Amino acid sequence: MFKLKAPESLTITKCAHCGDDCPDDHPVYDEKDFCCNGCQIVYTVLKDNGLGDYYTFQNMPGISQKSISNKNYYFLDDEDVINNLLEFREANLCKISFTLPQIHCASCIWLLENLNKLQPGILGSRVNFLRKSATVSYDPTKISLRQVVEQLAVIGYPPELNLQKLTGAKSGFQDRSLYYKLGLAGFSFGNIMLLSFPEYLGFSQASVKFYIGYINIILALPVLLYSGVDYLRSAYWTLKMKQINIDIPIAVGMLTLFFRSVFEIVTATGEGYLDSLAGFIFFLLIGKWFQHYTFYSISFDRNYKSYFPISAMIKTVDGWQSRSLDKLETGDILMVRNEEIIPCDALLLKGEAAVDYSFVTGEADLIRKKEGEKLFAGGKNIGSNIQIQLLKKVDQSYLTKLWDEDSFSIDKEAKTQTLISQIGKYFTITIMSIAVLTLIYWLVYDKTLAFNAFTAVLIVACPCALALALPFSYGNILRLLGKKFFYLKNVQVIDRIQQVDEIIFDKTGTITDHKNILATADGDQWTDKQKFLIKSTVFQSNHPLSKAIFHAVEGTYTQDVEYFKELTGQGVEANIGSDIIRVGSFRFINGDKPGASKGVLAEINGQVIGRFNIEHRLREGVEHLVDTLSKSYNISILSGDNDQEEERLKTFFPANALMIFNQTPLDKLNYIKSRQESGHKILMIGDGLNDAGALMQSDVGIVISEDSNNFTPACDAILGARSFGSLLSYLTFLKKARYIIIGAFVLAFLYNVVGLYFAVRGELLPVVAAILMPLSSITVMIYGLLASTMAFRKFSE
């Protein structure tokens, strides 16, 4: 729990949180919960073992939905609170995730993902529509956390803030504002209809009509300003950013109905349309509620946690032992090896770290850290092994969320998503134009229908059905593929897979099996000390060749070395006592000297003592997979190893397959870039160890994973080794999935055409249009779920 030093007096008279007067007679030592007048923060007074009196935030359920006054956010200026809430913090970049229950449509996503246009200090934001959350990156030198939260509150998305997420306690807060808005709209709609009933039958007298009209205005006003405020606020901020979204025609329709009705009632020229206004907002909110219900009822969570760091090497009295993340405790000392992800917020105890935070920030530059400095969860250790002390636990859901966020700087275009964005952009302009033309037409021919027709056009046409087609149809496909151990990062990956025309394989760990590498020593008989030094050195590495050599060398080893460094694609080196050991490729050991380049050399104190012959065994089912894939795609091999296996590979690869060996990670990346510049869409399949750059550069990067250490955040998909032989079936299914989206587009198009036809003719009441608008979105959602499920079952048979 988060603690602040209490005032010295025995009675708290001022709220240290906002400065307001607190209730009288609340002594410091009464150990009772209380809430100050001006805040929603409940805290408990405690005594801290003679070290001073403290009060502790006991329940921080979130900012009050009733008020977004700045005073509610004073606590976000406190440095300890900031440190507890932030997920990542460096000098010019901070990251934090918020739960935003107000998210309900495509317009919300657009507004929240363009926060940087409202506040330059906000660097970027990413919305998870299904989880109702957003991750915000900001520059703390330009904007504070408090200002970020205030900005979210001002535009209508006050976030839930809960410090207890760090203690494991559950917040009792639930956002009930939608229910309040729905209840108010329903109450006013029913009463306005009831009061207008005599008028419908023509029984109302002029004097009675006068009073009923004003009562209806009183009933409709809170419906407009409270129940419908989300649409009005979204439209306002979108226009302020000089953009357009679907909430604009809805807001215009609401304001038109209200002000036209007030004008008719005040001037006694008509009865107005307040019943339609209240009913319109009421049914919109029912649609929103149903969408929320559907979101929470259907789980798109994918069980890919087993492919992320599920354990860590922890120092115990008996040496280094592997322990699962959920069993780690604050103060534990962990070892993080080369290419491993830092599994927690920690203090660097031993070694100099070079950390790749691209998993967290999208920036690929290595950040150097010295002993005593803080490291954040999600960074990838590059080079030397390090020892860290756990400061704050994070769970696997945080690490998987980082992967979902797709924060890498390379922009991999998804054509379907781009098309939907373009349709949404011009859709609103088209609808506004049709509405204005409809209004002008009916003002000329029948003024009694003009405003109803105008409002009905604005309401009935909605691109939300198009916007929801992709996340629901493809989102369900992600879930279904996850059951077959094929995990895609997000729905945009499906779109890019559909464009692929060339597949490039890495060799080691992809075509060959990591767990079936045989290493045999070739050379003179080694002494026990030499075996000890070699075995201790390769133990520090995570590479499959190091693991194979470790098992090939008999004898004892030590887990602690004075110095260790791993050079990607080359080898490893270590200092143990006064001895310097190097194990790696011929070029790594001998440089440009002539000689046999095959195998792995071992060197101690500058003298080569022997060589390991490496035998790679093919992954089960790879021959059939390559044969079938070559009928639909161009196939090639890009490997960092020598060409020792070339003849064997030619027996099952097509004759025109290109095989390139002895490639550095940079060579792989540049080759893929050159193929892309030639117009090809590349799918790269690797193991994630020496090909992270190539995986990131490719249009789709797939990692074959057999254990957590192979994971790389650069990939777009993770394929479980057990499902390797089924890859062609998955790719074929994903290519066919585009027809599901086409079907959803046809449904949405037909709905809009038919709805507009009746609305333009003045044959559709606004209240009916308000029912049809969310109904179209719900129809597309259900269609997407059913169609994708049925198609998947067909391919799985």
Side-chain angles (χ1 to χ4, degrees):
M1 290 185 292
F2 169 65
K3 296 183 177 182
L4 289 175
K5 194 73 167 62
E8 294 181 359
S9 61
L10 293 180
T11 302
I12 298 177
T13 58
K14 293 281 187 182
C15 176
H17 174 51
C18 69
D20 282 2
D21 292 333
C22 287
D24 295 334
D25 301 324
H26 281 287
V28 171
Y29 298 119
D30 67 358
E31 297 184 358
K32 294 179 180 178
D33 293 338
F34 63 91
C35 177
C36 71
N37 288 332
C39 305
Q40 300 297 319
I41 307 301
V42 180
Y43 49 87
T44 302
V45 178
L46 304 172
K47 188 172 182 179
D48 193 29
N49 299 326
L51 298 179
D53 302 324
Y54 289 80
Y55 57 89
T56 304
F57 288 113
Q58 185 66 26
N59 179 28
M60 191 172 291
I63 302 304
S64 170
Q65 301 297 312
K66 300 177 182 179
S67 171
I68 56 171
S69 170
N70 288 353
K71 67 181 180 181
N72 282 340
Y73 305 108
Y74 278 25
F75 70 97
L76 292 177
D77 289 329
D78 188 280
E79 197 65 22
D80 289 330
V81 174
I82 294 173
N83 287 331
N84 278 331
L85 290 174
L86 290 179
E87 295 175 348
F88 179 82
R89 187 175 193 178
E90 286 291 339
N92 297 309
L93 175 64
C94 292
K95 286 190 70 173
I96 184 170
S97 292
F98 300 109
T99 298
L100 305 173
Q102 303 84 2
I103 297 173
H104 69 279
C105 69
S107 296
C108 299
I109 298 174
W110 184 92
L111 184 60
L112 289 167
E113 292 194 344
N114 285 275
L115 289 174
N116 57 315
K117 295 180 179 179
L118 293 173
Q119 282 282 2
I122 295 177
L123 303 176
S125 49
R126 179 70 181 264
V127 173
N128 188 314
F129 185 48
L130 299 175
R131 292 192 179 99
K132 301 290 173 47
S133 65
T135 301
V136 178
S137 302
Y138 68 94
D139 185 345
T141 64
K142 298 179 179 178
I143 186 173
S144 67
L145 175 59
R146 174 182 164 190
Q147 289 173 314
V148 172
V149 173
E150 287 172 353
Q151 181 64 69
L152 286 169
V154 166
I155 64 174
Y157 300 91
E160 294 181 25
L161 298 172
N162 187 3
L163 291 180
Q164 287 197 337
K165 68 183 180 181
L166 304 177
T167 65
K170 294 183 178 180
S171 170
F173 174 76
Q174 289 183 333
D175 178 37
R176 300 185 179 275
S177 60
L178 177 60
Y179 298 102
Y180 299 148
K181 293 172 182 176
L182 184 60
L184 175 62
F187 170 80
S188 297
F189 176 47
N191 280 280
I192 292 174
M193 291 283 288
L194 183 63
L195 291 171
S196 301
F197 191 76
E199 191 175 299
Y200 297 151
L201 301 179
F203 297 151
S204 181
Q205 297 178 358
S207 59
V208 175
K209 187 186 297 186
F210 174 82
Y211 289 109
I212 288 178
Y214 279 93
I215 293 173
N216 285 343
I217 292 175
I218 294 172
L219 287 170
L221 192 60
V223 176
L224 176 70
L225 298 180
Y226 179 65
S227 298
V229 71
D230 292 337
Y231 300 99
L232 297 175
R233 185 187 288 117
S234 174
Y236 168 77
W237 283 104
T238 302
L239 288 172
K240 187 172 181 179
M241 289 189 288
K242 299 179 181 180
Q243 299 291 332
I244 54 175
N245 68 6
I246 189 57
D247 284 340
I248 293 175
I250 293 175
V252 171
M254 290 165 53
L255 294 173
T256 300
L257 281 175
F258 180 77
F259 287 112
R260 175 64 184 178
S261 300
V262 170
F263 173 79
E264 290 188 1
I265 292 171
V266 172
T267 60
T269 56
E271 297 82 17
Y273 311 95
L274 294 177
D275 52 348
S276 295
L277 172 65
F280 163 45
I281 296 175
F282 176 64
F283 288 112
L284 277 181
L285 293 174
I286 285 181
K288 184 191 291 189
W289 168 82
F290 189 82
Q291 286 183 8
H292 283 200
Y293 177 80
T294 305
F295 295 154
Y296 291 120
S297 298
I298 302 171
S299 173
F300 288 139
D301 288 342
R302 293 160 284 159
N303 185 26
Y304 48 55
K305 291 183 179 181
S306 60
Y307 291 93
F308 288 79
I310 56 174
S311 61
M313 295 295 292
I314 181 173
K315 190 171 188 178
T316 67
V317 292
D318 298 321
W320 294 98
Q321 296 181 356
S322 179
R323 185 172 296 177
S324 61
L325 292 189
D326 60 327
K327 294 182 179 178
L328 299 180
E329 299 293 341
T330 301
D332 285 345
I333 297 176
L334 312 177
M335 177 193 293
V336 182
R337 293 184 282 195
N338 178 49
E339 297 283 333
E340 284 189 341
I341 292 175
I342 299 169
C344 58
D345 290 354
L347 193 68
L348 180 58
L349 293 182
K350 183 178 180 181
E352 292 190 0
V355 185
D356 176 5
Y357 277 121
S358 60
F359 195 14
V360 184
T361 66
E363 298 295 332
D365 295 337
L366 293 181
I367 296 179
R368 305 287 175 176
K369 294 289 184 179
K370 297 181 180 179
E371 293 179 4
E373 293 189 288
K374 185 177 181 180
L375 306 177
F376 288 92
K380 195 171 188 179
N381 182 42
I382 304 297
S384 303
N385 290 356
I386 57 174
Q387 293 183 23
I388 60 175
Q389 185 174 34
L390 191 151
L391 296 178
K392 185 173 72 173
K393 294 172 62 175
V394 299
D395 57 22
Q396 286 174 307
S397 63
Y398 171 72
L399 298 175
T400 57
K401 179 176 71 69
L402 289 177
W403 187 53
D404 275 337
E405 285 175 4
D406 193 16
S407 60
F408 297 105
S409 57
I410 292 180
D411 182 17
K412 299 183 178 180
E413 180 184 16
K415 289 186 176 179
T416 305
Q417 187 65 52
T418 303
L419 176 63
I420 291 175
S421 300
Q422 291 175 345
I423 291 174
K425 178 180 179 181
Y426 295 107
F427 186 92
T428 302
I429 298 175
T430 303
I431 295 307
M432 293 293 291
S433 302
I434 294 174
V436 171
L437 292 174
T438 301
L439 176 64
I440 295 172
Y441 175 85
W442 285 113
L443 284 174
V444 174
Y445 291 98
D446 189 347
K447 294 182 179 180
T448 60
L449 291 177
F451 286 97
N452 262 346
F454 172 72
T455 309
V457 170
L458 292 173
I459 297 167
V460 75
C462 180
C464 287
L466 291 175
L468 291 173
L470 198 70
F472 269 85
S473 301
Y474 283 1
N476 191 45
I477 288 174
L478 299 188
R479 181 180 63 87
L480 295 170
L481 287 173
K483 294 181 178 181
K484 299 294 184 179
F485 306 102
F486 188 31
Y487 306 100
L488 305 184
K489 177 183 288 186
N490 49 44
V491 296
Q492 285 77 25
V493 175
I494 298 177
D495 191 71
R496 297 201 300 273
I497 286 176
Q498 293 167 354
Q499 303 169 42
V500 166
D501 63 356
E502 181 172 340
I503 296 178
I504 297 177
F505 287 92
D506 180 37
K507 182 176 74 71
T508 306
T510 305
I511 293 173
T512 59
D513 191 342
H514 272 331
K515 295 186 176 180
N516 284 302
I517 298 176
L518 181 63
T520 55
D522 179 23
D524 299 332
Q525 185 68 34
W526 292 348
T527 66
D528 289 341
K529 180 181 179 182
Q530 290 174 327
K531 293 179 181 179
F532 170 82
L533 294 174
I534 297 297
K535 195 175 182 74
S536 299
T537 298
V538 296
F539 169 78
Q540 311 297 320
S541 171
N542 234 354
H543 196 279
L545 291 184
S546 296
K547 293 180 179 179
I549 293 172
F550 176 82
H551 292 297
V553 177
E554 299 177 350
T556 60
Y557 65 97
T558 180
Q559 298 172 340
D560 291 313
V561 298
E562 284 76 12
Y563 167 80
F564 174 82
K565 185 176 182 180
E566 183 166 359
L567 285 83
T568 302
Q570 299 181 56
V572 297
E573 57 186 20
N575 293 353
I576 303 176
S578 59
D579 296 304
I580 301 174
I581 307 96
R582 297 202 302 162
V583 180
S585 66
F586 181 89
R587 183 181 300 177
F588 175 64
I589 300 296
N590 291 327
D592 296 328
K593 294 179 182 180
S597 61
K598 298 181 179 180
V600 176
L601 300 183
E603 176 192 271
I604 298 178
N605 297 324
Q607 181 179 356
V608 176
I609 65 168
R611 184 178 68 181
F612 291 94
N613 295 314
I614 306 298
E615 180 184 347
H616 297 275
R617 297 178 183 177
L618 294 177
R619 192 178 294 279
E620 183 179 354
V622 68
E623 295 99 330
H624 176 70
L625 176 65
V626 169
D627 180 58
T628 52
L629 282 175
S630 63
K631 297 175 182 178
S632 303
Y633 302 92
N634 295 324
I635 303 293
S636 57
I637 289 180
L638 200 59
S639 175
D641 292 343
N642 55 52
D643 59 0
Q644 182 178 349
E645 303 278 347
E646 185 174 5
E647 293 303 318
R648 180 167 62 154
L649 295 174
K650 284 182 177 179
T651 61
F652 60 91
F653 267 79
N656 62 345
L658 189 64
M659 298 185 184
I660 307 175
F661 299 94
N662 298 308
Q663 297 293 290
T664 67
L666 182 60
D667 292 335
K668 295 180 182 179
L669 186 151
N670 289 332
Y671 175 77
I672 289 176
K673 187 181 294 185
S674 68
R675 296 299 292 167
Q676 290 172 326
E677 291 171 352
S678 300
H680 294 281
K681 299 295 184 181
I682 307 298
L683 186 151
M684 171 79 181
I685 306 176
D687 62 1
L689 289 176
N690 296 328
D691 47 21
L695 288 166
M696 186 186 297
Q697 178 62 43
S698 61
D699 296 279
V700 179
I702 299 178
V703 163
I704 306 298
S705 187
E706 291 175 289
D707 57 57
S708 63
N709 294 326
N710 290 6
F711 172 72
T712 172
C715 67
D716 298 295
I718 303 170
L719 179 64
R722 70 184 79 180
S723 299
F724 182 70
S726 303
L727 179 61
L728 177 61
S729 299
Y730 299 152
L731 296 180
T732 304
F733 168 64
L734 291 173
K735 283 208 166 187
K736 298 289 185 183
R738 70 177 66 185
Y739 297 109
I740 298 174
I741 299 300
I742 292 173
F745 280 11
V746 171
L747 274 178
F749 177 77
L750 290 175
Y751 158 79
N752 281 291
V753 169
V754 173
L756 283 173
Y757 172 79
F758 288 104
V760 168
R761 291 167 58 91
E763 298 174 357
L764 193 66
L765 292 174
V767 66
V768 177
I771 297 173
L772 293 177
M773 192 187 82
L775 188 62
S776 69
S777 299
I778 293 167
T779 302
V780 169
M781 287 159 49
I782 295 174
Y783 160 80
L785 293 173
L786 293 178
S788 56
T789 301
M790 293 173 63
F792 183 77
R793 287 178 179 174
K794 181 179 178 180
F795 273 88
S796 299
E797 290 176 356

